[in-house]
Amino acid sequence: EPEAKEVTLLIVPQSRVIMHWAVRVGYGLMARVYEFEADGVRIGRNSALHKGYPMQTQDLKGLTTRTHREIEKWSIIFGKTTEYCAAGDNTLGGKNCQDFVFELCGYMEIDRSQLPWRQAQMVKAAGVGVGILLGPEILAAGIAAGAAGMAADF
């Protein structure tokens, strides 16, 4: 196994709206894909959730020196200690694939600012915009939810 490995974000569409995230670590025969979904953590050569839609990849700057064994152990612990919720970001008490990728990149010491906005974060941001239209009570709730989500990211 190479000492330093490339890290790639995989954006795997599940529909025209829902985007599953996974991480590929390394290239070629030594590459592994790490992902989290309703059935838990999956680790393999390819995404287990590819549904035929064109998949996007984004090479992330930086290399990880974590071994596959270390990443697998971290991922399994994440899966055992984290409840899955499609909404993610602990919005309804659980995390999703995008949260998993965000936290895994942190563990691998990859700069997370390279990652796109997670869908739960976009919904919170949209809630602030809707709150402006609907009134101060809803605006305050949207700001509180957005601030709580942003604080959890750092």
Side-chain angles (χ1 to χ4, degrees), residues 9 20-25 33-37 40-43 71-80 82-85 88-90 94-108 112 115 118:
L9 170 65
H20 172 71
W21 289 10
V23 172
R24 181 177 60 225
V25 178
V33 173
Y34 299 90
E35 54 196 330
F36 179 62
E37 48 94 25
V41 170
R42 293 184 181 223
I43 302 167
I71 298 167
E72 181 176 327
K73 182 178 178 182
W74 182 93
S75 298
I76 289 169
I77 291 169
F78 181 95
K80 287 181 177 179
T82 305
E83 183 178 339
Y84 179 84
C85 176
D89 195 35
N90 272 326
K95 296 183 180 185
N96 64 18
C97 59
Q98 296 176 2
D99 301 315
F100 171 78
V101 166
F102 187 84
E103 292 186 29
L104 178 57
C105 283
Y107 172 73
M108 294 188 299
R112 298 183 290 193
L115 298 171
R118 291 172 280 166

Side-chain angles (χ1 to χ4, degrees), residues 34-135:
Y34 299 90
E35 54 196 330
F36 179 62
E37 48 94 25
D39 291 330
V41 170
R42 293 184 181 223
I43 302 167
R45 303 262 307 134
N46 299 298
S47 173
L49 297 177
H50 192 274
K51 298 189 183 276
Y53 295 102
M55 183 171 29
Q56 299 174 23
T57 61
Q58 177 183 336
D59 292 334
L60 301 176
K61 293 177 187 170
L63 301 171
T64 186
T65 56
R66 301 282 188 185
T67 66
H68 282 299
R69 182 171 288 167
E70 290 172 325
I71 298 167
E72 181 176 327
K73 182 178 178 182
W74 182 93
S75 298
I76 289 169
I77 291 169
F78 181 95
K80 287 181 177 179
T81 60
T82 305
E83 183 178 339
Y84 179 84
C85 176
D89 195 35
N90 272 326
T91 303
L92 299 174
K95 296 183 180 185
N96 64 18
C97 59
Q98 296 176 2
D99 301 315
F100 171 78
V101 166
F102 187 84
E103 292 186 29
L104 178 57
C105 283
Y107 172 73
M108 294 188 299
E109 299 179 348
I110 298 296
D111 180 9
R112 298 183 290 193
S113 70
Q114 304 173 74
L115 298 171
W117 269 53
R118 291 172 280 166
Q119 289 177 314
Q121 296 299 317
M122 288 189 287
V123 168
K124 285 180 183 176
V128 171
V130 170
I132 291 170
L133 296 173
L134 296 179

